[in-house]
Amino acid sequence: MASLSLKKVSSAWIITILTLFICAIVFGILMRLNQGNDIKLSPNGFYTLMTTHGLTMIGIWTVAGMVGIQYLLSRYTTVSAKLNVFALVLTIIGVIMLWISTFVGNFHTGWTFLYPFPFYIAWAKWATPLFLWSLAVLGIGWFVWSVGILVEILKKYSLKQAFAWQHLSKKDPEVTTPPFILIATVSLVGIILCLITAVILLILFFAEYYSNGSFKNDPLLMKNLTYFFGHTLANEALYLGVALLYELLPEVSGRPKFKMTWYIALAWNFTMIFVLTAFFHHMYMDFVQPLGFQMVGQLASYFASIPAAAVSALSVIFLVYGNKIKWSLTNILFFIGVIGWMIGGIGAVIDATISNNIVLHNTLWVPAHFHTYNAMGNVLFCLAFFWWVANEFAGSQETTKSHKITIGLMLIGGFGFVLMFYIAGAASVPRRFAFYPNELQIGMTTATWAAFFATLYLIAMLAIIWEIVRKCIRVFYSS
Ligand code: HEM
């Protein structure tokens, strides 16, 4: 069971994450208004917002999943609140350094800080090292935290059991692995590998920076490392959210817990391999990349989506279909999240097909698909957990309040916002343009509409977040 100190630190995390989330949504809306020609930001201002928005969003929704995993893990084994505090402190320091490098130093390479952009100084000179060091601080904090959580899992389950391999050979093994443990293990292993790659990447950046250019990096290697780290981290973050769903959805719906079966075990073990190799689809336009890797990229992108997504979607459909469900905001958010995840996943597979990618590469189709499975997928999975845990802190899961208006605003706002990206992407409007030339009128029109829909989404989020934060604050007064 969660200790009071774990509850307090989880509350502090939730309040921090949600505050940053609101700021990052506002940055997003400002970008869309600028692209719609409704406000005038300087190009530097736009790219500063884009860099801060992208990194903040990816970061907070990765740690949101880790907060949930560690909290729910306390049902199975003892967990360390101190480890959690350590990660929170380093995260706050890292975010402050990052925001100073972007907002004060004007660093604006985009969230992928693709080599050699950080060395083409178009900002304060000190901003490049500060930016790289901010990532080092965040990376160290999250690496120690994710290894720590994995060790906590291994205190109760052997490595074989954590991966549920005993379910592949026996129908009723002595020790059964809860799906939550398997998915958390698979995702944490992926996150640890991403973070090790990030450390290698940063060492290479620092080597070139501090050698004053006498050491030069290989751009293709740097791009492969960057996308192995960035693409995989964004995907693993989503799977942390799915682990929360497996643990909580049946419980809050008044249904029996999901049981481990051989096909769930197989699906998630395969997912681990495919997700780690799908990033090659970011390299399709790098013609010097060996052809074999490009083929791996396409196949892994297909296969990655089948096991986890198909198995999870079917599990959720079987849970809901024909059964009397106790609906609450928690399972509604999980349910909508699965729909967003599926739609975003289909958008991703379309783009990862090489013949389509020739047309869609670096168009707004790219932010279309990843915003769908983030803003309408993983964010909702984590919010469902936040809502559930805030009610647990408040001492009751029973809320008679209807959230019809909030959910309506979130659905119209969220799906409307991503639809504008899809329409513009299908019309070949490029991504990462601060403003569009007159020939791309459709880019401007869709951007203005997107800003409107995103504002509806923001209002819905504010309504949900207000209630969550109010309940989380109460934990600090309990003893
Ligand atoms: C309603 C909420 C949001 C709004 C209004 C918004 C808006 C935007 C805009 C306008 C861009 C630039 C698109 C382009 O022209 O390339 C962008 C990029 C991005 N967004 Fe969002 N976004 C939102 C939510 C999210 C969420 C929830 C996540 C992740 C969990 C996210 C992650 C990113 C990332 C990684 C980028 C790419 C940044 C880059 O290219 O360097 N966004 N967003």
Side-chain angles (χ1 to χ4, degrees), residues 21 24-33 35 46-47 49-62 108-113 227 234 237 362-364 366-368 370-379 413-414 417-418 421 429-434 436 447 450-451 453-458 461:
F21 181 44
I25 296 181
V26 173
F27 302 159
I29 294 175
L30 290 176
M31 282 190 281
R32 283 318 249 157
L33 286 172
Q35 290 173 326
F46 176 89
Y47 290 110
L49 283 182
M50 192 183 84
T51 307
T52 319
H53 166 88
L55 272 162
T56 305
M57 285 292 200
I58 296 291
I60 57 175
W61 294 110
T62 304
H108 57 264
T109 55
W111 89 278
T112 44
F113 57 100
Y227 278 100
N362 271 350
T363 65
L364 284 177
V366 182
F370 72 70
H371 277 91
T372 317
Y373 64 64
N374 277 311
M376 292 307 281
N378 190 31
V379 168
F417 159 65
V418 292
F421 271 149
V429 177
R431 71 180 289 202
R432 291 178 169 160
F433 267 38
Y436 304 115
F453 285 122
T455 307
L456 300 186
Y457 177 86
L458 174 64
M461 287 298 144

